[in-house]
Amino acid sequence: MRDTDSPSPSLPADDPIGLQSFAVLLRRMNAEFNRIAQEFAHAQGLHLTDVQALIAVLDADTDEDGGPMTPGRLRKQMNLTSGAMTACLDRLEKTGHIRRVRAADDRRVVHLHYAQAAKQVARDYFRPLAHGTDAARAGFTHDELHVVVRFLAEMNHQLTLVRAAR
């Protein structure tokens, strides 16, 4: 558990829970995630956009409400042209990261699935990040983690609202 009397060294001492501190820390975390994703993309012969598409496909596979990802839904989510989306999906399929599967009930509909072998490649690559995340979690109580999860979920919701308003 963390000593709550001493501020984290990465937070400004004048207001460690102020908006500026949150902005700085969220930018730093986002930048680190982007660097790791870029390195994975390079190692796999992909573009960063391809990795972002993989994440969207993975999240859709685990999202009970949305169902499997489709090229049209992915294109809209990623704000790409249909040509750019096709090129991205072609790269991902060629490198074995995704499978395109026609829907059984409507052959016009194509579902995108993260290929099982590619999931294992990603798991192996991102295992150090998972260990780091677990190490960070270990420094918090169960109740603190619930607050962190609530904050992250609300941040994701707010980001979705900002994007939708543009």
Side-chain angles (χ1 to χ4, degrees), residues 26-80:
L26 289 170
R27 275 195 311 265
R28 286 179 187 167
M29 187 172 64
N30 186 55
E32 288 303 320
F33 281 142
N34 282 339
R35 278 189 276 279
I36 292 167
Q38 182 65 48
E39 291 166 0
F40 177 75
H42 182 74
Q44 295 299 307
L46 301 171
H47 299 265
L48 184 55
T49 303
D50 302 339
V51 175
Q52 293 166 339
L54 279 174
I55 291 167
V57 170
L58 177 64
D59 288 349
D61 275 351
T62 59
D63 182 11
E64 294 175 13
D65 297 332
M69 184 61 76
T70 64
R73 205 168 103 217
L74 183 59
R75 183 186 70 75
K76 184 177 178 185
Q77 182 175 332
M78 295 188 64
N79 197 27
L80 295 174

Side-chain angles (χ1 to χ4, degrees), residues 1-2 4 136-148:
M1 305 324 136
R2 187 191 327 189
T4 56
R137 288 174 59 239
F140 294 86
T141 67
H142 186 75
D143 289 342
E144 288 173 325
L145 289 174
H146 277 282
V147 173
V148 170

